[in-house]
């Protein structure tokens, strides 16, 4: 659902240092569930700018545990039992 940025559906592109900027109204940010200082990717699609939140979620179990350091307390794989809820399927 498209929503107008202001009464006439326009916003202004302004010079900001060596870059450019525009404002996004708070109600749109809230609808998208974005937070202040959230990292966004910016791309051109069909001659339009597209902003998307950058996901920091690991793509696989190897990425999830890439920085894990073994504490040496276990010498075998732990059995956590059967799945009970919304466990990730790796």
């Amino acid at each position: 659902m498209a929503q107008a940025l202001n009464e006439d559906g326009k916003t202004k592109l302004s010079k900001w240092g060596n870059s450019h900027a525009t404002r996004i109204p708070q109600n749109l940010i809230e609808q998208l569930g974005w937070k202040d200082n959230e990292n966004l990717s910016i791309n051109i699609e069909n001659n339009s700018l597209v902003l998307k939140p950058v996901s920091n979620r690991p793509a696989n179990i190897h990425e999830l545990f890439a920085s894990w350091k073994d504490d040496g307390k276990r010498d075998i794989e732990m059995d956590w039992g059967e799945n009970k809820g919304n466990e990730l399927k790796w």
Side-chain angles (χ1 to χ4, degrees):
M1 173 173 74
Q3 179 155 351
L5 297 180
N6 61 26
E7 293 168 4
D8 61 359
K10 297 177 183 176
T11 188
K12 184 177 180 180
L13 186 64
S14 302
K15 185 81 170 148
W16 194 24
N18 290 329
S19 299
H20 289 80
T22 192
R23 293 180 185 228
I24 304 171
Q26 183 65 30
N27 66 326
L28 295 181
I29 299 299
E30 290 170 356
Q31 286 179 32
L32 292 167
W34 291 359
K35 306 289 184 233
D36 289 345
N37 300 311
E38 185 160 358
N39 290 321
L40 303 172
S41 67
I42 185 169
N43 296 295
I44 298 173
E45 293 180 15
N46 299 321
N47 206 31
S48 296
L49 288 178
V50 177
L51 300 173
K52 295 180 183 176
V54 175
S55 174
N56 294 328
R57 183 176 179 176
N60 56 50
I61 198 162
H62 302 287
E63 287 182 11
L64 180 65
F65 289 101
S67 63
W68 183 71
K69 303 283 187 253
D70 187 3
D71 59 10
K73 294 182 180 179
R74 289 163 292 285
D75 57 355
I76 59 172
E77 184 175 334
M78 295 181 72
D79 181 5
W80 294 95
E82 297 289 322
N83 291 346
K84 302 278 184 187
N86 294 322
E87 290 85 359
L88 295 176
K89 293 182 169 103
W90 299 100

